[in-house]
Amino acid sequence: MPQTKERGKARQVMILITLMLLWEVGSESIQYAMLEETESGIFVANLTKDLGLRVGELAARGARVVFKGNRQYLQLDPQTDDLVLNEKLDREELCGSTEPCMLPFQVLLKNPLQFYQAALRVIDINDHAPEFPAREVLLKISEITAPGKIFPLKMAQDLDTGSHSIQSYTVSDNPHFHVLTRSRSDGKKFPELVLDKALDREEQAQLRLTLTAVDGGSPPRSGTTEIQILVLDINDNTPEFAQELYEVQVPENNPIGTLLITLSARDFDTGSFGEVSYALLQDDDVNEPFVINTKTGEIRLRSTLDFEAFQSYHVGVEAIDGGGLTGKCSLVVQVLDVNDNAPEVILSSLNSPIPENLPSIIVAVFSVSDADSENNQEVTCSIDDNLPFLLRPSMENFYTLETDGALDRESRAEYNITITVTDMGTPRLTTQHTITVQVSDINDNAPAFTQTSYTLFVQENNSPALHIGTISATDSDSGSNAHITYSLVPTHDPQLALSSLISINADNGQLFALRALDYEALQTFEFQVGATDQGSPALSSQALVRVLVLDANDNAPFVLYPLQNASAPCTELLPRAAEPGYLVTKVVAVDRDSGQNAWLSFQLLKATEPGLFSVWAHNGEVRTSRLLSERDAPKHRLLLLVKDNGDPPRSASVTLHVLLVDGFSQPYLPLPEVAQDVTQDEDALTLYLVIALASVSSLFLLSVLLFVGMRLCRRARAASLGGCSVPEGHFPGHLVDVSGAGTLSQSYQYEVCLRGDSGTGEFKFLKAINPHFPSLESERKTEETPTLWNSFLFI
């Protein structure tokens, strides 16, 4: 217990003393030292001071400590940025018998990228005691063995190194033997038992000695084994090998059971004393990779060799004869390296996703290594030449993967980069490591319409909120940068109230007509539609939309001439001497629709004399079809139809009265409005005729007298007037010839008045009227007074 306490105090003192910077090699190589088995969290160094950096710069530049094999023996304290121990270290586990035990690492800084090469030396403490391979050793020694004879013994094992390894061997006090401590070529010490005094079997048949191995620790540790010595009868020849040292080279990939060498020892004795058997003096009989045939001396592989674990083996071989005498030789097995380890890629940092449109971005930092040696350890590193990335070597087999120029996410949003590492061994071994790099989007693309302009067709008289079409734009960006909203661009045309005509769905670009459109009021209109993404800054584009209103046959033809008046239909005068094809009048009509909806055709539906008149279908001219005769009625009624070419067609009708006259050869002029007095006379005449006809059966004579009286009264009245007494009308000044054939656009009538005294006629222009003519019966009666008809002519 006192020894343990002293060792603990010494260990604490060593921890406090050795936790310091040892030395700096070169300009960027730093070495630190730390005792093994030190508890984690112990301060190692002030890395900021050692690297000459500013306070806080380590954290700001994302400092990382990178060890080979992804082990993290040290770490940076996030609070102080001090380098502290991350885990308890076992030097024997990390380095075995290698001394010094160095753990190289790199300190990686970013912005800018910078490496610092460093190493951590793990200092051995005396935490292992020597151990012999066996608790008991049996030696058979002939009693005739001369003093000074040396008996080699198996050495003890101590996992510690340096001064803490085995330094000496001792044997318990006895009168016959002492022990010598020898050193091998690799520095390890082994014991040899030396006979000081001849043995006498009769005096003492066996001896028991204690062999002790002592290391150089403070305090020292030790291990023991028991040596049992059997004293044999006379056997005066020992087996002897041809040479004391044998060497053999073995490739590490040789299979189990491969014959390495055959050793042979010679014993000049005869009988059982001349029979030799062989044994290996190995440090660890169980784990050693060799086995010997005790009869033939053949040494073969018991397990596979690994150059990366052990480059050579020192094996003792013992030959034992039947009398127990032994001979010894040494075998050194050199393990030859073969290229059996593929290169290894260790990724230190990965930057993904990376923004597009930025050049020379460091994507990843990684290191490559190969556990083989010499040429087998040399490696080359490459990536696909077709990728926009570059590999740049740094230091100590570190590489950086950088972008070769700016990337475009719209061309490619993800890259699978395969890093290929090949060593220079034979055969060459290759390792591939694939990393995935995402490219993040920035708003560098404005929305693009599928068309530069859109033409939409809308049938007039549409229902409100009618979907008339959809515009579409795409954005090659992603996320919110590709989310598009649509809007109407305000128009500068004061005549176009766009907001009352059209609306747009901001999400999908659907256009709607807000109210019914009228082709006759608006045939076409244009406006701009904008598409804007949600990026920052927002980008937008515009497209032209042209709306064409399609005409519907919603307007019936409108007759301009002749004008229709229910109380006074239009009357045309036709000379009885008119030739066939004589132009009686021309029907003028218009249609507010367009296209075929406005193509008009004319048709005679009904006539008093069906074969007397015809209507030209395309221009509405009413002409005579034959010569007039005395048998034709003096007054004709024509029903004309004006029809458009729409689907379904729409039409209008017009009624025309034609009055046949004798000797009238003047051009047709519309009749003026009949004077109110004449109209009153005609109405009175009609009344008188009706009364006369009603009483003709009983009062025929009275009727004749009344009729004669009426005639006399009218004649006297006409004589008293002395001319035309109708009121004079005005002639409108906006008459326009729209047909090209002399037909007026409005229906006007003219009164022709002939004075009896002069015999010459003159036209008197009156306002437009539609005169009422008496019935045919009354006309026949009035023919008896031609003077009256000579006073009035209506055209």
Side-chain angles (χ1 to χ4, degrees), residues 11-69:
R11 181 176 179 181
Q12 294 176 2
V13 173
M14 288 298 293
I15 291 174
L16 295 176
I17 294 176
T18 58
L19 295 179
M20 63 181 180
L21 175 66
L22 293 182
W23 67 84
E24 180 173 337
V25 181
S27 60
E28 292 187 5
S29 180
I30 304 174
Q31 290 192 4
Y32 300 95
M34 177 61 60
L35 293 177
E36 65 169 330
E37 301 299 330
T38 301
E39 296 296 330
S40 62
I42 293 297
F43 170 84
V44 176
N46 186 335
L47 199 57
T48 300
K49 179 179 179 181
D50 295 342
L51 299 182
L53 302 176
R54 297 186 304 274
V55 175
E57 189 174 354
L58 287 175
R61 295 179 61 184
R64 294 186 57 196
V65 177
V66 181
F67 281 84
K68 182 179 180 181

Side-chain angles (χ1 to χ4, degrees), residues 420-608:
T420 302
V421 183
T422 305
D423 63 24
M424 306 304 293
T426 303
R428 295 190 175 187
L429 300 180
T430 299
T431 297
Q432 290 186 332
H433 185 85
T434 301
I435 61 176
T436 300
V437 178
Q438 305 284 343
V439 182
S440 61
D441 183 51
I442 65 174
N443 194 27
D444 57 347
N445 291 278
F449 284 93
T450 56
Q451 301 173 215
T452 56
S453 63
Y454 295 81
T455 300
L456 305 179
F457 298 91
V458 183
Q459 191 78 27
E460 68 169 330
N461 303 323
N462 58 283
S463 59
L466 175 67
H467 176 221
I468 62 174
T470 302
I471 64 168
S472 177
T474 59
D475 195 313
S476 53
D477 293 320
S478 65
S480 61
N481 295 334
H483 182 71
I484 297 175
T485 57
Y486 300 90
S487 62
L488 298 178
V489 178
T491 179
H492 300 292
D493 186 0
Q495 303 297 327
L496 181 62
L498 184 62
S499 60
S500 65
L501 291 176
I502 297 297
S503 70
I504 189 169
N505 188 311
D507 295 325
N508 55 27
Q510 291 183 346
L511 291 169
F512 299 89
L514 295 180
R515 60 181 175 84
L517 302 178
D518 185 6
Y519 173 83
E520 288 70 34
L522 182 65
Q523 289 80 34
T524 181
F525 59 94
E526 295 179 351
F527 57 92
Q528 296 280 347
V529 173
T532 305
D533 60 29
Q534 302 300 310
S536 180
L539 301 178
S540 63
S541 59
Q542 295 181 358
L544 176 66
V545 179
R546 181 180 296 107
V547 178
L548 299 180
V549 182
L550 301 179
D551 183 39
N553 194 26
D554 57 343
N555 291 283
F558 178 75
V559 178
L560 297 177
Y561 180 80
L563 291 177
Q564 296 299 291
N565 192 325
S567 62
C570 180
T571 301
E572 301 285 349
L573 298 183
L574 175 63
R576 287 186 176 273
E579 297 291 331
Y582 179 85
L583 177 62
V584 178
T585 187
K586 182 174 182 179
V587 178
V588 179
V590 295
D591 194 314
R592 294 183 62 193
D593 295 322
S594 64
Q596 67 178 14
N597 295 332
W599 298 350
L600 301 181
S601 61
F602 302 87
Q603 181 181 355
L604 180 60
L605 291 180
K606 188 176 181 181
T608 304

Side-chain angles (χ1 to χ4, degrees), residues 350-362:
L350 175 62
N351 182 19
S352 178
I354 57 176
E356 63 174 335
N357 295 347
L358 294 180
S360 302
I361 299 176
I362 297 178

